[in-house]
Amino acid sequence: MFKVSQEIRLNTSAAGALGQGQGLGDASDGSSPESVCVFGRYQRTPDADAYPTEPPRVYIAPELTDASKVQLLHLPSGAVRINSTVSFIIKRNGVKGNFDVRLESPSGQHGAPLQLTQLDPERFQVQCQLPQAGLYKVHIKCNSVPLPKSPYIIVTIAGVPPTEDGTDPATCSPSMPVFESDASKVHSRGLGLTHVNLLERNEFTVDGSAAGSNMLFVGILGAQGPCDEVLVKHLGRHVYRVMYQVREPGEYILVAKWGEQHIPGSPFSLTAD
């Protein structure tokens, strides 16, 4: 920066007279302004902010984006076969901005942005090909803001080769394995088999430790349809804890099967008051 030289004049006599309560115009002592002034020079460096050397800058920020409002529809929740084409829909729900969708392969490579097909002002369709087996990650951003659950995971598995007659094994119904079991040796107990509480979860226990190896199936049906919630938890050694909850009063039927056979007492008739 350059320096500026300026001249300054100091009236020391007037400053002294002001301290003694005298006016500046009191010149009774005959002193002239020239005799009471002291001259000097000083140099100052201008402040850099006072002399801008660059034009002003205007910063424009994008509109705030609430990415939590965006919905992802029809994304596969289970495993898909390799070389499958996966399609899902992005619903903006009023969120303004541009979407960026990228696919990360199981090897960690990021591809080019996926193409979005606009179905209507609120929905976009995305399609991608999955040629490898493993975990794919779908990264989705709106105005450079990642969606709360991004990246989304898609699992791909190697497919079974077609049979000799050209039939796709995926289209064939799987055969049920044969288990050696005796449903009559299954024991069940608990208040959930005789009383139904509308305010809390109902619970009972099924013991199949002496019935051989098989699977436990539990279903509850009422006048309005299936009950709201059924939870079957394996405690070990073929002992299960079953919990269910209903919210509507009425008659219910509880079915418990060990494999394809009813356990003793099934189906159970229950009443929810």
mmCIF file of all heavy atoms in Angstrom, residues 4 12 14 26 42 44 50 54 62 66 92 94 115 151 158 160 175 189 195 205:
data_model
loop_
_atom_site.group_PDB
_atom_site.id
_atom_site.type_symbol
_atom_site.label_atom_id
_atom_site.label_comp_id
_atom_site.label_asym_id
_atom_site.label_seq_id
_atom_site.Cartn_x
_atom_site.Cartn_y
_atom_site.Cartn_z
ATOM 1 N N VAL A 4 0.553 8.276 2.621
ATOM 2 C CA VAL A 4 0.086 9.639 2.380
ATOM 3 C C VAL A 4 0.707 10.552 3.423
ATOM 4 O O VAL A 4 0.665 10.246 4.630
ATOM 5 C CB VAL A 4 -1.447 9.720 2.443
ATOM 6 C CG1 VAL A 4 -1.906 11.157 2.282
ATOM 7 C CG2 VAL A 4 -2.052 8.850 1.359
ATOM 8 N N THR A 12 -1.599 24.967 20.669
ATOM 9 C CA THR A 12 -1.311 24.611 22.064
ATOM 10 C C THR A 12 -1.785 25.671 23.024
ATOM 11 O O THR A 12 -2.168 25.375 24.157
ATOM 12 C CB THR A 12 0.193 24.386 22.229
ATOM 13 O OG1 THR A 12 0.895 25.568 21.843
ATOM 14 C CG2 THR A 12 0.657 23.218 21.350
ATOM 15 N N ALA A 14 -4.481 27.657 22.768
ATOM 16 C CA ALA A 14 -5.929 27.554 22.962
ATOM 17 C C ALA A 14 -6.279 26.342 23.812
ATOM 18 O O ALA A 14 -7.215 26.376 24.606
ATOM 19 C CB ALA A 14 -6.627 27.466 21.610
ATOM 20 N N ASP A 26 -9.889 34.590 23.392
ATOM 21 C CA ASP A 26 -9.198 35.506 24.283
ATOM 22 C C ASP A 26 -7.787 35.725 23.794
ATOM 23 O O ASP A 26 -6.940 34.869 23.930
ATOM 24 C CB ASP A 26 -9.206 34.947 25.701
ATOM 25 C CG ASP A 26 -8.599 35.926 26.698
ATOM 26 O OD1 ASP A 26 -8.332 37.068 26.325
ATOM 27 O OD2 ASP A 26 -8.418 35.487 27.851
ATOM 28 N N TYR A 42 3.025 14.194 9.620
ATOM 29 C CA TYR A 42 2.972 12.771 9.984
ATOM 30 C C TYR A 42 2.541 11.992 8.758
ATOM 31 O O TYR A 42 1.982 12.544 7.824
ATOM 32 C CB TYR A 42 2.008 12.546 11.153
ATOM 33 C CG TYR A 42 0.558 12.535 10.774
ATOM 34 C CD1 TYR A 42 -0.113 11.325 10.546
ATOM 35 C CD2 TYR A 42 -0.147 13.733 10.617
ATOM 36 C CE1 TYR A 42 -1.445 11.327 10.178
ATOM 37 C CE2 TYR A 42 -1.475 13.738 10.252
ATOM 38 C CZ TYR A 42 -2.126 12.532 10.045
ATOM 39 O OH TYR A 42 -3.451 12.539 9.689
ATOM 40 N N ARG A 44 0.564 8.399 7.445
ATOM 41 C CA ARG A 44 -0.344 7.325 7.817
ATOM 42 C C ARG A 44 -0.529 6.399 6.618
ATOM 43 O O ARG A 44 -0.445 6.829 5.469
ATOM 44 C CB ARG A 44 -1.699 7.867 8.284
ATOM 45 C CG ARG A 44 -2.566 8.452 7.182
ATOM 46 C CD ARG A 44 -3.859 8.996 7.767
ATOM 47 N NE ARG A 44 -4.744 9.526 6.720
ATOM 48 C CZ ARG A 44 -5.656 8.812 6.071
ATOM 49 N NH1 ARG A 44 -5.800 7.512 6.356
ATOM 50 N NH2 ARG A 44 -6.417 9.348 5.138
ATOM 51 N N ALA A 50 -10.623 0.507 3.585
ATOM 52 C CA ALA A 50 -11.099 1.802 3.100
ATOM 53 C C ALA A 50 -10.818 2.004 1.623
ATOM 54 O O ALA A 50 -11.445 2.836 0.977
ATOM 55 C CB ALA A 50 -10.469 2.931 3.901
ATOM 56 N N GLU A 54 -10.596 -4.984 -4.984
ATOM 57 C CA GLU A 54 -11.356 -5.970 -5.751
ATOM 58 C C GLU A 54 -12.816 -5.569 -5.781
ATOM 59 O O GLU A 54 -13.318 -4.944 -4.846
ATOM 60 C CB GLU A 54 -11.217 -7.362 -5.128
ATOM 61 C CG GLU A 54 -9.794 -7.887 -5.124
ATOM 62 C CD GLU A 54 -9.723 -9.274 -4.516
ATOM 63 O OE1 GLU A 54 -10.794 -9.766 -4.091
ATOM 64 O OE2 GLU A 54 -8.635 -9.865 -4.476
ATOM 65 N N PRO A 62 -28.227 -21.738 -2.237
ATOM 66 C CA PRO A 62 -29.410 -22.462 -2.730
ATOM 67 C C PRO A 62 -30.505 -22.492 -1.666
ATOM 68 O O PRO A 62 -30.257 -22.280 -0.474
ATOM 69 C CB PRO A 62 -28.866 -23.872 -3.001
ATOM 70 C CG PRO A 62 -27.685 -23.995 -2.096
ATOM 71 C CD PRO A 62 -27.085 -22.620 -2.018
ATOM 72 N N ASP A 66 -35.123 -29.845 2.634
ATOM 73 C CA ASP A 66 -35.486 -30.798 3.681
ATOM 74 C C ASP A 66 -35.549 -32.177 3.041
ATOM 75 O O ASP A 66 -36.593 -32.624 2.574
ATOM 76 C CB ASP A 66 -36.820 -30.409 4.311
ATOM 77 C CG ASP A 66 -37.154 -31.276 5.520
ATOM 78 O OD1 ASP A 66 -36.333 -32.143 5.861
ATOM 79 O OD2 ASP A 66 -38.235 -31.082 6.116
ATOM 80 N N ARG A 92 -40.766 -36.636 -4.549
ATOM 81 C CA ARG A 92 -40.188 -35.450 -3.923
ATOM 82 C C ARG A 92 -41.054 -34.875 -2.801
ATOM 83 O O ARG A 92 -40.535 -34.213 -1.902
ATOM 84 C CB ARG A 92 -39.900 -34.384 -4.968
ATOM 85 C CG ARG A 92 -41.115 -33.874 -5.699
ATOM 86 C CD ARG A 92 -40.814 -32.603 -6.507
ATOM 87 N NE ARG A 92 -39.934 -32.802 -7.615
ATOM 88 C CZ ARG A 92 -38.734 -32.257 -7.712
ATOM 89 N NH1 ARG A 92 -38.281 -31.516 -6.722
ATOM 90 N NH2 ARG A 92 -37.973 -32.466 -8.758
ATOM 91 N N GLY A 94 -43.042 -32.326 -2.619
ATOM 92 C CA GLY A 94 -42.975 -30.880 -2.527
ATOM 93 C C GLY A 94 -41.582 -30.309 -2.374
ATOM 94 O O GLY A 94 -41.411 -29.077 -2.379
ATOM 95 N N GLN A 115 -29.770 -42.118 -14.898
ATOM 96 C CA GLN A 115 -30.765 -41.301 -15.579
ATOM 97 C C GLN A 115 -32.104 -41.364 -14.843
ATOM 98 O O GLN A 115 -32.556 -42.433 -14.442
ATOM 99 C CB GLN A 115 -30.943 -41.770 -17.022
ATOM 100 C CG GLN A 115 -31.922 -40.912 -17.823
ATOM 101 C CD GLN A 115 -32.019 -41.376 -19.261
ATOM 102 O OE1 GLN A 115 -31.353 -42.338 -19.651
ATOM 103 N NE2 GLN A 115 -32.831 -40.704 -20.055
ATOM 104 N N PRO A 151 -26.446 -44.116 1.987
ATOM 105 C CA PRO A 151 -26.765 -44.927 0.809
ATOM 106 C C PRO A 151 -27.696 -46.094 1.142
ATOM 107 O O PRO A 151 -27.634 -46.671 2.220
ATOM 108 C CB PRO A 151 -25.398 -45.429 0.361
ATOM 109 C CG PRO A 151 -24.602 -45.514 1.626
ATOM 110 C CD PRO A 151 -25.088 -44.380 2.482
ATOM 111 N N ALA A 158 -25.754 -64.707 -6.974
ATOM 112 C CA ALA A 158 -25.576 -65.421 -8.243
ATOM 113 C C ALA A 158 -26.787 -66.295 -8.495
ATOM 114 O O ALA A 158 -27.286 -66.980 -7.596
ATOM 115 C CB ALA A 158 -24.302 -66.261 -8.205
ATOM 116 N N VAL A 160 -29.125 -69.370 -10.278
ATOM 117 C CA VAL A 160 -28.963 -70.787 -10.615
ATOM 118 C C VAL A 160 -29.097 -70.943 -12.129
ATOM 119 O O VAL A 160 -30.013 -70.387 -12.737
ATOM 120 C CB VAL A 160 -30.028 -71.631 -9.885
ATOM 121 C CG1 VAL A 160 -29.870 -73.102 -10.234
ATOM 122 C CG2 VAL A 160 -29.923 -71.412 -8.388
ATOM 123 N N SER A 175 -39.663 -77.490 -3.426
ATOM 124 C CA SER A 175 -40.263 -78.631 -2.730
ATOM 125 C C SER A 175 -40.023 -78.509 -1.236
ATOM 126 O O SER A 175 -38.959 -78.081 -0.790
ATOM 127 C CB SER A 175 -39.662 -79.933 -3.254
ATOM 128 O OG SER A 175 -38.260 -79.937 -3.066
ATOM 129 N N ARG A 189 -48.474 -73.538 26.632
ATOM 130 C CA ARG A 189 -49.021 -73.025 27.878
ATOM 131 C C ARG A 189 -48.903 -71.497 27.866
ATOM 132 O O ARG A 189 -48.051 -70.933 27.181
ATOM 133 C CB ARG A 189 -48.287 -73.604 29.081
ATOM 134 C CG ARG A 189 -46.796 -73.284 29.106
ATOM 135 C CD ARG A 189 -46.070 -73.983 30.249
ATOM 136 N NE ARG A 189 -44.644 -73.678 30.256
ATOM 137 C CZ ARG A 189 -43.729 -74.352 29.586
ATOM 138 N NH1 ARG A 189 -44.108 -75.364 28.821
ATOM 139 N NH2 ARG A 189 -42.457 -74.013 29.642
ATOM 140 N N HIS A 195 -57.020 -66.208 27.443
ATOM 141 C CA HIS A 195 -57.539 -64.862 27.668
ATOM 142 C C HIS A 195 -56.874 -63.899 26.697
ATOM 143 O O HIS A 195 -55.695 -64.039 26.367
ATOM 144 C CB HIS A 195 -57.278 -64.398 29.106
ATOM 145 C CG HIS A 195 -57.928 -65.261 30.149
ATOM 146 N ND1 HIS A 195 -57.373 -66.456 30.559
ATOM 147 C CD2 HIS A 195 -59.088 -65.117 30.836
ATOM 148 C CE1 HIS A 195 -58.152 -67.010 31.480
ATOM 149 N NE2 HIS A 195 -59.203 -66.225 31.666
ATOM 150 N N THR A 205 -46.274 -69.865 25.409
ATOM 151 C CA THR A 205 -45.046 -70.590 25.084
ATOM 152 C C THR A 205 -45.387 -71.908 24.400
ATOM 153 O O THR A 205 -46.349 -72.588 24.781
ATOM 154 C CB THR A 205 -44.224 -70.861 26.357
ATOM 155 O OG1 THR A 205 -43.931 -69.637 26.999
ATOM 156 C CG2 THR A 205 -42.921 -71.565 26.019
#
